[in-house]
Amino acid sequence: MAGPKIFHLLLPVLLLSSSTANITTKPSSKNIPRTPPPLPILPLPSASQLAWQQGEMAMFLHFGPNTFTDSEWGSGHADPSIFFPKNLDSRQWAAVAAATGFSHVVLTAKHHDGFCLWPSSYTNYSVRSSPWSSGEGDVVADLAAAAHEFGLGFGIYLSPWDRHEPCYGKSLEYNEYYLGQMTELLTSYGDIQEVWLDGAPGKVEKDMVYLFDSWFELIHQLQPKAVIFSDAGPDVRWIGNEAAISGTTCWSLFNKSSAAIGNTEAKYALEGDPYGHDWVAPECDVSIRTGWFWHSSENPKSPMTLLDIYYTSVGRNCLLILNVPPNSSGLISDEDIQVLQNFTAMRHTIFSQNLAKDAIVSASSTRGGPDESHFSPSNVIEEGIYSYWAPDEFQATWTLILDLGQSISFNVLQAQEPIQMGQRVVEFHADVLKEGEWKIIANGTTIGYKRLLLFPIVKVQFVRFVVDKSRADPLISYLGIYFDPFSPSHNLLSTSRRSSFNNIRDLDLRASRNSSRVSVI
């Protein structure tokens, strides 16, 4: 066994033993054409899906009569006069969201009670009939303007279920009513980034047929940059729980034909589909409090709980939409703001600096040869998804080795794929060199836009990242290592479960020939 004192002599051997290294050197010449990028592997995200995913976190704002009646699902019969937020300040909402790392805000323009936070011309059950702003107010307009001011995207939730509208239950009339209101929202308030809707109603409500396909076509026509969230897409899907816990396997690939709003198999929604023909990225929803609307009796979750949620949502290829409900004064409560600020400070402490930013990175191969800087392994320590390492074609192994220059303590690994080229990685693992042997510290089954793996603290100089299975030649845009001083070392969020791929052999996969696996530390 080689000791650490002679490891520098063995590094080339260790690298070559884990790969089929391309050692051919191209002649240096400015006239040599650049090697083109590999073919993208379908399906691919649209421009709006790509922009949405890179936002990572959105703030949901549940606000309405329920805020004043201490309810979650309003009856639809509350007097509009109950809506009277004396100090409503949507600029405060937007300022809090922007300062704590959210990319866009989504407002409950109409919840299940049917009360509209804008003066809809299709109903009197709206802010127009309330004493707030003497009936001249428009919460949607105020927040849209505030979001624009603070550089945030803006989204709306328009509940399909309406417990107030008399025509609810008459499918043709209600669908016309709903699309009339949707048109108001999508043509009066500027650019909309996300349209959020679900498949409620409750089980005892009137039978109702929602013409979802017509809705989706209209939304995309009026707001072509918007993504539509529902249980089953078409652009963004629900992961099946309101705890923001995604599957440790999480594909953005999906078959919309295999899903239906209100009737999608839970495991399918949670994990996606490696054989999927559509790109329907996952979104995790959760509230900072127990309920979705503000209640004086409830307290916010702790910053540590939000950090755990971040690992199980954003850290598993999802966008996190965190509900932060304004209170009955019309403000985000001080205690909620404090939690968000602490959560933000924790994320900054962990992720503000990649401990591998000065690493020397080598690879088992490089597309176009070692002189092709466009696909260099060093690209993986540059932030962002638009530069990436690409291996040479037809390789048996796909390996990156990071030489950190000295022993560094860390317990978090971040990996990203350039998803504009498709989601590719099926299985991977990371190991470290200890006492002359590679020992696994973490493994996973998908990466996607972002994967965060938390494991017991290690202190090493050399880290190896190995793609074990992939839908095509894998592409890695970013590798980061970080130190999390807050999470307990036994909290193995990413290694507690590893999904089986019993039927994965039908894909065009290539497995690593390296059999020197050992148990996870």
Side-chain angles (χ1 to χ4, degrees):
M1 181 181 299
K5 291 183 179 179
I6 62 169
F7 173 71
H8 65 284
L9 299 175
L10 298 179
L11 179 58
V13 177
L14 287 165
L15 177 54
L16 288 169
S17 68
S18 65
S19 64
T20 52
N22 184 350
I23 59 174
T24 302
T25 302
K26 287 185 175 181
S28 178
S29 172
K30 295 181 180 180
N31 297 322
I32 296 177
R34 171 181 285 178
T35 303
L39 280 175
I41 181 169
L42 301 179
L44 302 177
S46 68
S48 56
Q49 288 172 319
L50 195 58
W52 170 89
Q53 179 92 60
Q54 291 179 90
E56 296 197 358
M57 296 198 307
M59 181 179 285
F60 218 162
L61 295 154
H62 276 62
F63 189 58
N66 293 349
T67 308
F68 303 88
T69 60
D70 202 30
S71 303
E72 282 291 302
W73 283 10
S75 67
H77 302 295
D79 193 304
S81 65
I82 196 72
F83 184 81
F84 190 46
K86 295 182 180 180
N87 300 311
L88 193 151
D89 185 357
S90 58
R91 289 188 75 258
Q92 185 234 21
W93 308 353
V96 170
T100 52
F102 294 86
S103 61
H104 66 282
V105 293
V106 178
L107 176 68
T108 54
K110 183 190 80 170
H111 203 252
H112 307 327
D113 59 4
F115 185 85
C116 300
L117 295 184
W118 81 102
S120 174
S121 60
Y122 296 98
T123 181
N124 291 324
Y125 199 54
S126 76
V127 288
R128 181 185 285 126
S129 299
S130 78
W132 174 67
S133 292
S134 302
E136 299 296 323
D138 186 335
V139 182
V140 178
D142 291 348
L143 184 57
H148 183 266
E149 177 185 350
F150 285 93
L152 299 168
F154 181 56
I156 55 103
Y157 168 80
L158 186 68
S159 171
W161 182 20
D162 192 318
R163 304 185 79 178
H164 176 83
E165 176 53 38
C167 73
Y168 186 84
K170 301 175 183 177
S171 293
L172 176 60
E173 289 142 53
Y174 182 73
N175 276 276
E176 292 174 341
Y177 173 81
Y178 185 88
L179 286 181
Q181 291 195 321
M182 182 66 79
T183 300
E184 287 182 322
L185 291 169
L186 299 186
T187 57
S188 304
Y189 301 102
D191 289 340
I192 303 295
Q193 184 171 10
E194 182 168 3
V195 175
W196 211 96
L197 52 90
D198 53 31
K203 297 179 180 178
V204 297
E205 287 298 312
K206 305 170 185 176
D207 288 337
M208 184 67 216
V209 176
Y210 300 137
L211 302 180
F212 286 117
D213 289 342
S214 296
W215 299 5
F216 298 159
E217 291 289 340
L218 182 71
I219 293 167
H220 282 149
Q221 179 190 95
L222 297 177
Q223 289 283 346
K225 294 181 181 179
V227 296
I228 304 171
F229 167 94
S230 81
D231 293 13
D235 304 311
V236 178
R237 75 177 192 269
W238 187 42
I239 49 91
N241 64 69
E242 295 182 341
I245 300 176
S246 180
T248 53
T249 294
C250 191
W251 292 96
S252 293
L253 281 60
F254 201 68
N255 277 329
K256 289 186 278 192
S257 60
S258 301
I261 297 176
N263 190 31
T264 300
E265 196 270 324
K267 189 173 186 291
Y268 194 71
L270 189 70
E271 296 190 352
D273 188 345
Y275 306 99
H277 298 293
D278 304 302
W279 188 279
V280 186
E283 180 173 288
C284 293
D285 61 327
V286 68
S287 184
I288 196 171
R289 291 167 175 251
T290 304
W292 288 91
F293 286 88
W294 178 84
H295 306 287
S296 61
S297 61
E298 294 179 356
N299 295 312
K301 294 176 170 64
S302 70
M304 188 66 237
T305 298
L306 295 188
L307 181 61
D308 286 343
I309 287 171
Y310 185 80
Y311 278 114
T312 60
S313 56
V314 175
R316 293 181 182 175
N317 189 40
C318 299
L319 183 138
L320 169 62
I321 183 165
L322 177 67
N323 180 61
V324 184
N327 61 31
S328 57
S329 294
L331 300 170
I332 295 177
S333 298
D334 289 343
E335 57 268 31
D336 293 15
I337 293 174
Q338 185 64 58
V339 167
L340 290 173
Q341 290 174 338
N342 291 341
F343 170 47
T344 303
M346 293 168 79
R347 297 196 323 274
H348 184 266
T349 297
I350 299 167
F351 298 108
S352 61
Q353 181 177 346
N354 181 5
L355 299 176
K357 68 182 180 64
D358 296 321
I360 297 172
V361 188
S362 54
S364 51
S365 67
T366 299
R367 181 177 177 83
D371 291 337
E372 179 55 89
S373 61
H374 196 52
F375 307 111
S376 169
S378 63
N379 289 339
V380 303
I381 53 176
E382 297 179 13
E383 292 191 8
I385 62 172
Y386 292 104
S387 64
Y388 52 85
W389 165 69
D392 211 351
E393 296 178 316
F394 312 118
Q395 300 300 301
T397 57
W398 305 299
T399 303
L400 290 161
I401 291 181
L402 283 69
D403 178 355
L404 305 177
Q406 61 181 332
S407 291
I408 294 176
S409 296
F410 62 95
N411 58 351
V412 177
L413 172 72
Q414 176 179 320
Q416 293 185 263
E417 293 182 81
I419 57 173
Q420 72 275 11
M421 302 291 287
Q423 188 176 356
R424 298 166 177 249
V425 175
V426 177
E427 285 192 42
F428 68 94
H429 73 274
D431 42 21
V432 296
L433 193 74
K434 291 183 73 73
E435 299 176 348
E437 293 185 4
W438 291 107
K439 297 184 178 181
I440 293 179
I441 54 170
N443 54 40
T445 47
T446 48
I447 296 176
Y449 172 68
K450 179 175 285 190
R451 187 66 188 269
L452 296 173
L453 299 133
L454 181 64
F455 42 84
I457 297 169
V458 293
K459 185 176 182 180
V460 296
Q461 180 176 343
F462 296 95
V463 182
R464 184 172 65 173
F465 184 86
V466 181
V467 176
D468 300 300
K469 295 182 181 179
S470 187
R471 298 174 62 234
D473 289 333
L475 307 175
I476 303 299
S477 56
Y478 187 71
L479 289 177
I481 63 172
Y482 304 94
F483 182 73
D484 176 352
F486 310 107
S487 300
S489 60
H490 64 272
N491 189 10
L492 301 179
L493 293 174
S494 60
T495 59
S496 58
R497 183 175 66 88
R498 199 174 176 190
S499 297
S500 61
F501 283 80
N502 295 328
N503 300 316
I504 210 70
R505 67 190 65 170
D506 295 332
L507 290 173
D508 180 18
L509 305 177
R510 306 178 186 92
S512 170
R513 294 176 182 173
N514 182 4
S515 60
S516 59
R517 294 287 191 91
V518 295
S519 300
V520 176
I521 296 174

